[in-house]
Amino acid sequence: MSDMKDMIVDVVERMLKENVDKDLVDTVEQGKWAPKVWHLFKENGMNVVAISEEHGGAGGDLEDLLNIVRLTGKYAAPIPFTETTLANYLLAYTNLQVVSDLATHMLSTDQAYTLENAKLTGEAIHIHWARHTKHLVTLAISAEGTHLVEIDLSHAEITQSTNLANEPRDTVKFHNAAVSQVSAVLSLDEIRAITILETAFQLARMTGAIEKINDLTVQYTKEREQFGRPIHRFQLVQQHIVNLAGETTVALAAFNNVTDALLTHSHNSEVAYARIRFEEVIQAVSTISHQVHAAIGTTHEHSLHQYTRRLWSWRDEGTKISYWTDFVSTQLLENSGDSLWAYLTETKIPMTIEGVIFNG
Amino acid sequence: MFHLPTVQFTEEQEQFRLEVRAFLHEELKKGSFVPKCDSWLSGADSEFSKSIAQKGWIGITWPKKYGGQARSTIDRYILTEEFLAIGAPVAAHWFADRQTGPLLLRYGTEEQRQFFLPQIMKGECYFGIGLSEPNSGSDLASVSTRAEKVEGGWIVNGQKIWTSNAHLCHYMVTLVRTSPFDGKQKHAGLSQLIVDLHAEGITVVPIKFLTGEHHYNEVFFENVFVPDNMLVGEIGNGWAQGLAELAFERSGPERILSTFPLLDELIQELKRQNNTEGLKQASKIVARLWGLRNLSIGVAQLLESGEGDNVSISAALVKALGTKFEQSIPELTRLLVQTYPTLDAQRKIDRFMAESILHAPGFTIRGGTSEVLYGVVAKGVVAQ
């Protein structure tokens, strides 16, 4: 963890609290743009946290960055922060030059573009914020293999669309467009690492939204009275509160473990476990929060839906649960001989006991 | 919601885990135990407890001056996990190690520590927990077993119930009423006495568990004399002392892993069948377990650092979530593989299933019912 973490988190939380409210999120949901918030983030160097100084970065590490992403989720910040910072992180990771304008990414191998003679062709849907951003960082497949490329979005034909939360999710089409940068051919491990990072950023943003939903809901049970007393006094509501707090606590701890694991390069299953577990968290948290808020939570007037609609959208974006259940089940299968316990507590210390290799 | 610390095991701790695991695999190979689900309740084996004691693994967190190793709560956590994951028979010394030792270290007299702790660490002295009574389960304030002051000690009359392994235990830490019940101060007037279970006036009556096995007991006290030096802590402070034990009791791996041997066997079975669909379903269970472990280890870390006033609330949350999880394993198993649950089955999975199904109803009751824990956690959340 960087020494700066607490300070950065404080600064960002204050910035978001002061500058992002429901009305602003509404404005952006109506298709407008929030230049002031983005400008603030940029002015404070938040867009280049965790990028090395040789790449024009501002220091800080991945944990700092993921915590900023978490906060942008907590405030439903209507800016492509996750997108720009992940794009830059991946550019730096593959030894390409980071960009200073807004950027976005498309990291699905399923809809990767075709690369030939440094020209990109193809169409991909649901690209975050494409209409507002300048650079696209994407996977592209050439005769040699898979690359990460960076391309100027002014070369693209963009068709606007949105997700459930009215966040921009556009279709981006290229025809023989010149790319700005191309990475070397990526190994399967590197592609896996990109998927892990992408998922970690998603988890961060979802964690923030989950925290906010928990806060809004607990607050509501204190303020709302029925039958002459606040509703948190009713046992059935208490059951909701505990289940909500439980799921939120699990999500936060999972997120923290993921950042720890990434930082120490200790293991890579944490991201898989967390992403699989988040599916249940999101299901529980969104159901409980709406049930507790009752009718008011289903209205546009209340801010709850700004978070639940985002969660419902985000869980289906990027690398989904099916990828990670495949990942874990394959590991379980190929780990035969070992116990589940050995797998779950896998360490880096190999040890042999009478022909049985633990955690080799 | 609660912010629990994350823990990265050190290299020494990882090494310790492998050391414990190697020992258990050796013992398993020698046939010194048969793995069981819920072995911390049903696996009482004094020979096995003694062999653990020889390794120095009972009371490992206790101070060196009593024969302990002064190791961290996290080390103890690792040790506990390894016992439970393999289903080792640890019930005999469990409660003394988990609760009585820490209680005496915190509230006991020097004489009590010097007398009991070394015996516990040798695996020769077991304790029962004397809380519940026939008419006071979750409502401990209504405890009515009473102790009357006499010259040099106390005379105890009354009854305890659901005392795990009381028939094997040497002593019981017994919550008694030392002052008459006061409706305005329900929690006042309770004290903790160490009662010698072989003393005159004690009758231990088995209560058969729904497996037909004998784990629980009723314990009757008829004019039992307990000397003054067996009072733990202060007179009238029994409630507060009891509460302090709860965080240790509620958040440990035993609230998550009681049915782990079954889950492990389920995975092996799915692997043998090359059942990738089943393994995908199982990966969700693995993720749930991982998520819970994060919380449980986080609470252990809080207990280690002595931080966090609401650690007892987090511990209650871990217990409520963890026991629901361990309870869910047999249900998920039967949906993924064919089993014929039988207590004396040849196939391990059938036996583990039988043990899990029949033990599962107790998980969300013992150590605080989920209903009571939910109330504790909800109040804690609202107060935040």
Side-chain angles (χ1 to χ4, degrees):
Chain A
M1 181 199 308
S2 137
D3 298 337
M4 294 156 52
K5 184 189 153 201
D6 288 344
M7 189 203 58
I8 292 176
V9 165
D10 281 354
V11 168
V12 174
E13 181 133 34
R14 197 159 0 102
M15 233 158 64
L16 286 164
K17 217 180 241 173
E18 283 167 13
N19 294 285
V20 178
D21 56 13
K22 176 169 183 293
D23 287 347
L24 183 79
V25 178
D26 280 343
T27 311
V28 176
E29 285 196 18
Q30 285 152 18
K32 296 186 188 106
W33 177 235
K36 192 181 153 207
V37 181
W38 178 256
H39 185 70
L40 263 172
F41 269 70
K42 210 175 158 179
E43 203 172 47
N44 286 283
M46 296 304 167
N47 60 325
V48 282
V49 166
I51 301 291
S52 69
E53 279 167 34
E54 54 167 309
H55 282 104
D61 60 25
L62 191 57
E63 184 179 17
D64 300 326
L65 175 54
L66 288 173
N67 274 288
I68 301 173
V69 171
R70 175 174 67 79
L71 289 170
T72 62
K74 189 173 170 188
Y75 289 85
I79 47 170
F81 182 78
T82 309
E83 289 76 8
T84 301
T85 53
L86 176 57
N88 269 333
Y89 195 87
L90 293 178
L91 288 172
Y93 175 79
T94 51
N95 289 315
L96 301 178
Q97 287 302 310
V98 302
V99 294
S100 56
D101 283 313
L102 291 168
T104 188
H105 50 73
M106 199 293 293
L107 303 168
S108 155
T109 45
D110 292 345
Q111 54 170 351
Y113 296 95
T114 312
L115 184 69
E116 209 182 322
N117 300 325
K119 299 279 175 63
L120 207 63
T121 300
E123 181 178 293
I125 63 164
H126 215 76
I127 296 184
H128 303 193
W129 300 89
R131 76 191 75 156
H132 293 300
T133 53
K134 180 157 166 45
H135 307 275
L136 173 68
V137 170
T138 182
L139 292 178
I141 297 171
S142 75
E144 286 79 45
T146 305
H147 310 256
L148 196 74
V149 305
E150 180 250 307
I151 186 166
D152 200 313
L153 275 164
S154 59
H155 301 328
E157 187 186 311
I158 295 176
T159 312
Q160 297 193 357
S161 185
T162 58
N163 66 12
L164 289 176
N166 285 337
E167 292 181 298
R169 298 293 186 260
D170 303 331
T171 299
V172 176
K173 190 171 171 182
F174 291 103
H175 183 70
N176 242 2
V179 300
S180 311
Q181 305 185 69
V182 185
S183 79
V185 172
L186 301 171
S187 68
L188 285 178
D189 280 349
E190 284 169 320
I191 296 173
R192 162 83 26 98
I194 288 172
T195 306
I196 285 172
L197 284 167
E198 180 200 23
T199 305
F201 275 68
Q202 271 183 299
L203 289 168
R205 184 157 66 162
M206 295 195 284
T207 301
I210 290 162
E211 285 177 86
K212 181 59 156 244
I213 290 171
N214 177 80
D215 292 352
L216 285 171
T217 308
V218 173
Q219 191 57 35
Y220 186 74
T221 67
K222 296 194 219 182
E223 289 163 2
R224 176 70 173 162
E225 293 195 354
Q226 291 276 273
F227 307 105
R229 51 185 179 156
I231 61 171
H232 73 74
R233 300 271 301 279
F234 294 90
Q235 283 186 333
L236 289 170
V237 176
Q238 289 184 344
Q239 192 161 348
H240 284 316
I241 292 173
V242 175
N243 287 330
L244 181 65
E247 293 296 292
T248 307
T249 306
V250 165
L252 257 174
F255 166 70
N256 287 328
N257 268 276
V258 162
T259 52
D260 252 25
L262 288 176
L263 219 58
T264 55
H265 308 285
S266 54
H267 202 273
N268 65 17
S269 298
E270 278 82 355
V271 166
Y273 300 149
R275 181 60 190 85
I276 294 169
R277 186 61 182 82
F278 264 51
E279 204 70 21
E280 291 171 336
V281 171
I282 292 167
Q283 165 66 23
V285 161
S286 55
T287 308
I288 294 169
S289 61
H290 274 291
Q291 186 65 25
V292 170
H293 276 86
I296 191 73
T298 66
T299 64
H300 191 80
E301 189 191 341
H302 200 277
S303 61
L304 176 66
H305 65 84
Q306 290 188 328
Y307 298 93
T308 53
R309 283 188 297 127
R310 274 169 178 71
L311 275 184
W312 290 323
S313 294
W314 293 347
R315 67 180 172 179
D316 286 329
E317 293 174 351
T319 305
K320 294 190 239 328
I321 178 179
S322 53
Y323 175 91
W324 293 114
T325 52
D326 276 352
F327 175 86
V328 172
S329 59
T330 305
Q331 282 201 333
L332 286 171
L333 199 59
E334 288 170 1
N335 241 355
S336 53
D338 274 347
S339 65
L340 170 63
W341 189 245
Y343 167 67
L344 201 72
T345 56
E346 205 165 13
T347 66
K348 282 187 292 188
I349 310 166
M351 190 180 175
T352 309
I353 299 146
E354 303 209 335
V356 184
I357 298 172
F358 291 112
N359 315 315
Chain B
M1 104 197 84
F2 304 95
H3 291 264
L4 297 168
T6 57
V7 174
Q8 294 274 345
F9 296 117
T10 64
E11 211 173 308
E12 291 74 30
Q13 286 166 339
E14 301 282 25
Q15 200 65 56
F16 178 55
R17 181 185 291 287
L18 296 178
E19 185 196 331
V20 177
R21 192 174 295 172
F23 166 80
L24 290 170
H25 279 262
E26 274 300 311
E27 292 295 309
L28 191 59
K29 229 168 69 181
K30 278 195 278 177
S32 53
F33 70 94
V34 177
K36 262 188 152 183
C37 287
D38 206 20
S39 63
W40 64 276
L41 175 79
S42 62
D45 178 340
S46 53
E47 284 311 306
F48 191 77
S49 286
K50 275 180 198 148
S51 62
I52 289 173
Q54 272 168 15
K55 304 290 290 182
W57 291 344
I58 298 179
I60 63 163
T61 61
W62 304 350
K64 290 192 170 152
K65 73 183 219 191
Y66 305 112
Q69 298 187 41
R71 292 174 71 155
S72 73
T73 308
I74 300 299
D75 286 349
R76 181 174 180 279
Y77 192 94
I78 289 168
L79 185 64
T80 310
E81 278 195 320
E82 292 298 317
F83 289 155
L84 297 174
I86 202 165
V90 287
H93 66 269
W94 193 264
F95 302 96
D97 178 70
R98 182 180 75 187
Q99 260 158 289
T100 314
L103 176 76
L104 294 181
L105 284 167
R106 188 156 174 191
Y107 295 106
T109 62
E110 189 55 29
E111 184 197 356
Q112 288 165 351
R113 293 175 195 160
Q114 296 283 2
F115 183 74
F116 289 112
L117 297 183
Q119 291 187 64
I120 293 174
M121 273 180 277
K122 278 187 205 146
E124 291 172 354
C125 176
Y126 315 137
F127 274 79
I129 304 296
L131 294 173
S132 296
E133 295 184 6
N135 294 311
S136 69
S138 293
D139 180 16
L140 274 183
S142 68
V143 156
S144 67
T145 295
R146 63 190 191 283
E148 274 170 69
K149 190 74 192 89
V150 292
E151 179 69 34
W154 304 81
I155 296 289
V156 179
N157 277 288
Q159 181 191 354
K160 292 290 171 181
I161 196 168
W162 313 126
T163 314
S164 304
N165 298 315
H167 56 303
L168 305 170
C169 290
H170 306 89
Y171 299 93
M172 177 158 87
V173 176
T174 314
L175 188 67
V176 295
R177 191 157 283 295
T178 41
S179 315
F181 180 75
D182 175 356
K184 285 179 193 140
Q185 284 186 293
K186 285 191 207 164
H187 299 149
L190 294 167
S191 307
Q192 288 180 301
L193 295 178
I194 298 173
V195 178
D196 181 344
L197 287 174
H198 298 107
E200 208 177 312
I202 301 247
T203 316
V204 176
V205 179
I207 304 173
K208 272 198 190 171
F209 193 58
L210 43 71
T211 54
E213 294 167 299
H214 177 193
H215 309 303
Y216 290 140
N217 300 276
E218 287 182 281
V219 181
F220 295 91
F221 305 84
E222 199 180 345
N223 293 322
V224 177
F225 177 75
V226 179
D228 275 334
N229 63 357
M230 290 295 115
L231 171 78
V232 182
E234 285 170 39
I235 296 172
N237 195 36
W239 179 261
Q241 292 172 197
L243 278 189
E245 288 175 61
L246 290 177
F248 285 95
E249 179 184 338
R250 287 181 170 164
S251 60
E254 66 266 45
R255 305 305 182 175
I256 298 173
L257 297 177
S258 300
T259 52
F260 185 83
L262 172 63
L263 175 57
D264 206 348
E265 196 53 30
L266 167 67
I267 302 287
Q268 303 312 319
E269 185 65 26
L270 292 170
K271 281 202 248 179
R272 284 191 284 269
Q273 297 173 359
N274 210 13
N275 182 346
T276 47
E277 269 319 302
L279 284 167
K280 279 182 207 169
Q281 291 303 313
S283 71
K284 296 179 188 171
I285 311 174
V286 174
R288 255 179 241 159
L289 174 54
W290 173 79
L292 279 167
R293 265 187 96 213
N294 289 339
L295 305 196
S296 175
I297 298 169
V299 173
Q301 180 64 33
L302 283 183
L303 290 170
E304 170 83 14
S305 59
E307 282 168 28
D309 293 339
N310 64 6
V311 60
S312 65
I313 298 170
S314 307
L317 178 70
V318 171
K319 196 213 171 249
L321 297 179
T323 52
K324 195 154 77 176
F325 169 80
E326 54 184 20
Q327 212 166 45
S328 73
I329 302 298
E331 285 310 306
L332 292 162
T333 302
R334 36 184 299 281
L335 299 178
L336 292 177
V337 295
Q338 178 72 59
T339 67
Y340 300 96
T342 315
L343 280 171
D344 59 0
Q346 292 290 309
R347 255 194 356 152
K348 257 202 280 187
I349 195 160
D350 293 337
R351 189 163 53 77
F352 288 159
M353 263 305 267
E355 290 163 358
S356 297
I357 291 172
L358 296 176
H359 282 247
F363 301 164
T364 46
I365 296 168
R366 60 190 183 189
T369 63
S370 295
E371 289 73 12
V372 166
L373 298 175
Y374 268 58
V376 168
V377 176
K379 283 184 192 122
V381 170
V382 169
Q384 269 181 350

